[in-house]
Amino acid sequence: MTLQVGIIGTGWFADKHAHLLSQQEGVKVTAIAASSQQKADQFASTFNDAKGYSNIEDMLDAGKLDAVYICTPPFAHGHFEQALIERNIPFLVEKPLSSEAELPMQLLQKIEAKQLITSVGYHFRYMDSADKAKQLLADRNIAMSLGYWMGGAPGGTWWRRQELSGGQFVEQTTHIVDLLRYLVGEVTEVYATYSEGILAKQDSNANVADAGTVTLKLSNGTIATISNTCIIPAGYESGLHVYTDAGKLEIGHGGLKDITTASTTEYHNQSNPYENEAKAFLHAIRTGDVSLIRSNYADAYRTHQVTMAANESASTGKVIKLG
Ligand SMILES: NC(=O)c1ccc[n+]([C@@H]2O[C@H](COP(=O)([O-])OP(=O)(O)OC[C@H]3O[C@@H](n4cnc5c(N)ncnc54)[C@H](O)[C@@H]3O)[C@@H](O)[C@H]2O)c1
């Protein structure tokens, strides 16, 4: 059976997912929904037999879709998920779940009531290095973790606006928070400080923080700091370092470095994490077996809570405790 998949959005990541999907056996991208008919038609024309729609209702009314990918910015969520939940259509939604704190909880309750298959684009979990890190950490004692996402602020219309993107910690560094949760443990306390003023001077449209440092307590007794900045023009880096009684484990985009007293060993990712993520989701749709999905909506919601708590702590100066 060929799976028919719809895509919402026509931006950078819609393009990445749609082309990856169209290369999978037994999968067809058949419908594209965008904020304008012209954008939808233009994007749809790059696939055989795909049709463009200017709104999701028309797309869903037009014919049966087995799954939908939601690839819209953080502010453009809620309506799409709601329509898919009502029609029992499984979806993969890109991180973060929202720029708002409350919306994902309302959606999660409806998803759980229907036991709908969902997946969230936390692709770091599907890296070979994440598997290797899990294996190495299994018999090591972790004391602390140090995460970072140091880079520049993407341009465009929404990323630099706090109310549209949620800011860097919610939009981007969320990957590192999620990796910390996946490899080390659940977060119970969050304290954050942010700095601002540099980006806003360069770009009068920008109102996101320049940098942040977030201190985290985990339920297993370990501690972490995750810092980020979006104002550096050079020296980009991101990753998670885990400090244990065996040494230091450095996990980055490309792989992992394991530093112990005996040796320093590097592992390079071989597989494409986005493809692994897609295959896990497609397998779940075909078989009902969700065990290969590493981040579903419920799990991603916990990551969302941590990043939202960081924003709240930075604005109130208080420590935020999570249940
Ligand atoms: N997992 C990853 O590695 C990764 C990488 C990049 C982006 N992302 C995530 O993907 C999401 C999209 O990012 P992007 O870089 O593709 O952004 P983008 O700005 O390139 O594209 C966003 C798309 O959403 C569409 N859109 C906005 N509002 C809409 C609405 N109301 N209805 C229909 N379409 C609407 C825009 O027209 C555009 O086509 C973001 O949440 C981002 O964080 C994830």
Side-chain angles (χ1 to χ4, degrees), residues 5-24 27-29 32 43 47 68-72 92-95 119-123 126 175 272-279 281-282:
V5 183
I7 308 278
I8 303 171
T10 56
W12 177 35
F13 247 60
D15 187 65
K16 173 138 186 135
H17 283 303
H19 283 93
L20 206 129
L21 280 168
S22 64
Q23 289 158 13
Q24 306 303 309
V27 180
K28 243 184 172 181
V29 174
I32 309 291
F43 193 68
F47 301 94
V68 169
Y69 272 54
I70 306 173
C71 306
T72 51
L92 184 148
V93 57
E94 261 306 338
K95 43 56 62 178
S119 175
V120 182
Y122 283 111
H123 71 278
Y126 296 88
H175 277 302
N272 175 351
Y274 297 108
E275 190 168 10
N276 300 340
E277 175 186 87
K279 283 185 165 157
F281 180 54
L282 297 169

Side-chain angles (χ1 to χ4, degrees), residues 191-231:
Y191 176 72
T193 51
Y194 291 177
S195 73
E196 57 195 37
I198 298 174
L199 187 65
K201 253 191 218 142
Q202 296 165 357
D203 174 1
S204 58
N205 173 59
N207 67 351
V208 292
D210 294 337
T213 287
V214 182
T215 301
L216 306 155
K217 260 194 193 175
L218 279 70
S219 60
N220 56 15
T222 75
I223 54 171
T225 63
I226 301 180
S227 294
N228 62 200
T229 181
C230 60
I231 60 98

Side-chain angles (χ1 to χ4, degrees), residues 8-17 33-36 39 53-56 70-77 79-80 93-98 120-124 149 155-159 165 170-172 174-175 253 274 277:
I8 303 171
T10 56
W12 177 35
F13 247 60
D15 187 65
K16 173 138 186 135
H17 283 303
S35 45
S36 82
K39 274 165 72 176
Y53 301 89
S54 62
N55 68 73
I56 182 177
I70 306 173
C71 306
T72 51
F75 68 89
H77 285 285
H79 178 67
F80 308 127
V93 57
E94 261 306 338
K95 43 56 62 178
L97 297 180
S98 175
V120 182
Y122 283 111
H123 71 278
F124 276 62
W149 195 298
T157 51
W158 56 268
W159 199 94
S165 70
V170 168
E171 207 285 332
Q172 208 167 46
T174 187
H175 277 302
H253 285 272
Y274 297 108
E277 175 186 87

